[in-house]
Amino acid sequence: MSRAATNLQIDSARLWGSIHETAQFGATAKGGVRRLTLSSEDKQVRDWFRQACEDAGLEVHTDALGSQFGLRKGRDMSKPPVGIGSHLDTQPTGGKYDGILGTLGALEVIRTLNDAGVETEAPICVVNWTNEEGSRFAPAMMASAAYVGDFTTDDILSRKDAEGTTVGQALDSIGYRGDKPVGFQKLGCFVELHIEQGPILEAEGKTIGVVDSGQGVLWYDGKISGFESHAGSTPMPLRRDALATLSEIVLAMESIAKKLGPNAVGTIGEAVIANPSRNVIPGEIAFTMDCRSADGAIMDALDRDLRAAIAEIAARRKVEVKIDLVWRKPPTHFDPKLISAVENAAKTLGYSSRRITSGAGHDACNLNTIMPAAMVFVPCKDGISHNELEDATQPDCTAGTNVLMHTVLAIAGVAS
Ligand code: GLV
Ligand code: MN
Ligand code: MN
């Protein structure tokens, strides 16, 4: 590598400026971001991102699911591009860094290479994947899942949000149904920078997480059918209360995940009572379940034990509980060569690091099923994420982006 490329550092102030400039699109009063996928706020940040990519000289294309690809040419265009990026959508009460750091960090890498006049052998492609979060449309990471062939494009286009709007309609409403078929942009590998979203790096005082694995995910949709009746006149033993049933399921999930832990987690994050009223015993509840583990056998045990517990609770309470497994993502084991490339970049740059498992799902986990992939983590404050309080420091975000850039230079090769 040339001396200029070896010593290259990203522009920390410019990266920080981009993160905070785009945080205005969907900014919340508490300092977070609400930018649900394919919303008008998502359109605003997509427009900003497309313009920034074009200004950086990238050839920008959008695929049929709205994912944006910005290509920087390499000296040898017969080589597949090195993919870098993440997502710009957020949770309903999300933060300024989840996904955003990895996408704008990727843009910053391109800007830095441009300023330094560094040409790489292989091309580099910056990507903003549609709907990583999965809070408006399930499953999470749906566009990268379609990219790797887990779902057809038509299947994903027909997925509906809670209002009944399909992905296809939502794409059309913001003008982001692209003209390129999903998978048009071939990638040779993918590297994603992200905040850790957990407490380990901060607690250990480490700057870089070299992500070697990711938890598998089980997502379920559930429906409890009990019986609505009068809150004053229905004796306790005669009730078929959907909310009391759900409460037992929540506690059963908690104890099953604890029993199978430390390598297992379970969450009921959504529950909607049909026709709620203070003086009506809840008769019907729709809810979701999210269970995770980095160990496939523990995922199977979570599924088995949960189903058994739910069947027992439903029978005893004389209610019907339906559980649909809507998504199963096996654990991820990232590519050993790319993991080493991330580790070497951190070491060469003088940052402290440790290997780490990702608790969250990421587009890189999907891409890893068809190409080598890896991830770079940086600490976030108190391990908090999926929360408006999510925070990360400028030096850590800068360090992570430098590691991303030097990993890319090592993989893509610098043209001499
Ligand atoms: C994505 O943010 C997930 O891990 O659910
Ligand atoms: Mn994310
Ligand atoms: Mn997220």
Side-chain angles (χ1 to χ4, degrees):
M1 206 183 288
S2 73
R3 202 176 153 71
T6 312
N7 293 329
L8 206 55
Q9 300 272 321
I10 62 117
D11 183 332
S12 175
R14 183 170 55 192
L15 171 71
W16 206 239
S18 301
I19 290 172
H20 289 87
E21 187 184 339
T22 55
Q24 70 180 298
F25 304 126
T28 65
K30 288 188 188 161
V33 179
R34 177 188 174 86
R35 199 157 63 213
L36 295 182
T37 194
L38 308 182
S39 62
S40 56
E41 294 81 14
D42 190 24
K43 173 182 163 42
Q44 288 179 299
V45 78
R46 285 164 173 273
D47 290 349
W48 184 98
F49 183 66
R50 182 175 53 194
Q51 189 61 53
C53 286
E54 284 173 3
D55 291 348
L58 304 183
E59 187 184 315
V60 183
H61 291 289
T62 305
D63 76 10
L65 292 176
S67 295
Q68 298 174 285
F69 298 83
L71 187 69
R72 183 179 196 261
K73 289 198 167 53
R75 198 192 57 84
D76 182 354
M77 288 303 285
S78 70
K79 292 199 159 124
V82 174
I84 51 176
S86 190
H87 60 98
L88 293 171
D89 65 320
T90 78
Q91 290 286 325
T93 46
K96 292 193 280 287
Y97 302 91
D98 174 0
I100 297 148
L101 172 62
T103 317
L104 300 184
L107 172 66
E108 178 53 38
V109 167
I110 300 294
R111 288 168 159 177
T112 302
L113 297 182
N114 287 351
D115 289 353
V118 174
E119 184 185 26
T120 51
E121 285 288 335
I124 302 172
C125 186
V126 175
V127 191
N128 168 32
W129 297 103
T130 294
N131 187 32
E132 192 276 349
E133 294 293 4
S135 42
R136 180 172 178 194
F137 300 101
M141 302 166 253
M142 67 180 195
S144 57
Y147 180 96
V148 302
D150 284 354
F151 302 99
T152 64
T153 303
D154 284 345
D155 178 4
I156 295 296
L157 286 170
S158 69
R159 301 289 173 120
K160 289 186 178 149
D161 68 8
E163 271 76 53
T165 305
T166 64
V167 169
Q169 288 165 336
L171 282 165
D172 289 338
S173 73
I174 63 162
Y176 268 93
R177 192 198 287 250
D179 56 358
K180 297 287 182 192
V182 169
F184 82 96
Q185 178 63 72
K186 300 289 175 246
L187 300 171
C189 62
F190 190 75
V191 186
E192 182 169 357
L193 165 66
H194 210 282
I195 55 166
E196 180 199 339
Q197 305 183 278
I200 297 170
L201 295 176
E202 187 182 56
E204 294 185 6
K206 297 278 200 286
T207 304
I208 298 296
V210 179
V211 188
D212 55 9
S213 51
Q215 292 200 113
V217 185
L218 297 162
W219 271 16
Y220 306 83
D221 282 348
K223 190 168 161 196
I224 304 174
S225 303
F227 196 75
E228 285 177 3
S229 63
H230 198 291
S233 56
T234 313
M236 297 309 283
L238 297 184
R239 297 179 179 214
R240 293 164 59 209
D241 184 332
L243 185 56
T245 305
L246 181 63
S247 308
E248 278 207 55
I249 294 173
V250 171
L251 295 178
M253 174 189 271
E254 191 179 57
S255 75
I256 289 165
K258 280 185 178 164
K259 182 190 77 189
L260 295 170
N263 199 0
V265 288
T267 306
I268 293 184
E270 286 180 62
V272 179
I273 302 175
N275 313 310
S277 171
R278 184 190 298 258
N279 49 359
V280 177
I281 297 162
E284 198 173 293
I285 294 186
F287 67 103
T288 60
M289 300 196 294
D290 173 320
C291 300
R292 306 189 190 202
S293 173
D295 179 331
I298 292 180
M299 287 174 70
D300 292 342
L302 275 167
D303 181 80
R304 185 195 59 223
D305 292 1
L306 255 179
R307 287 180 189 277
I310 290 171
E312 186 279 322
I313 295 164
R316 177 163 41 77
R317 289 188 166 270
K318 299 188 174 55
V319 300
E320 189 188 24
V321 184
K322 280 203 177 131
I323 298 294
D324 284 336
L325 180 67
V326 292
W327 185 38
R328 184 182 196 284
K329 168 90 188 127
T332 297
H333 301 285
F334 285 115
D335 181 72
K337 279 202 188 117
L338 283 192
I339 295 171
S340 295
V342 172
E343 204 153 49
N344 286 340
K347 201 168 162 196
T348 310
L349 290 161
Y351 300 127
S352 58
S353 70
R354 58 121 59 212
R355 298 250 177 148
I356 194 164
T357 296
S358 173
H362 298 286
D363 293 303
C365 301
N366 281 337
L367 296 160
N368 190 63
T369 63
I370 62 162
M371 67 183 74
M375 293 192 73
V376 182
F377 273 1
V378 294
C380 60
K381 189 165 184 295
D382 301 327
I384 295 172
S385 182
H386 285 191
N387 188 307
E388 291 159 285
L389 296 177
E390 180 184 277
D391 203 4
T393 69
Q394 183 175 349
D396 285 343
C397 292
T398 302
T401 309
N402 276 324
V403 170
L404 175 69
M405 179 170 68
H406 283 275
T407 304
V408 168
L409 288 175
I411 307 165
V414 175
S416 48

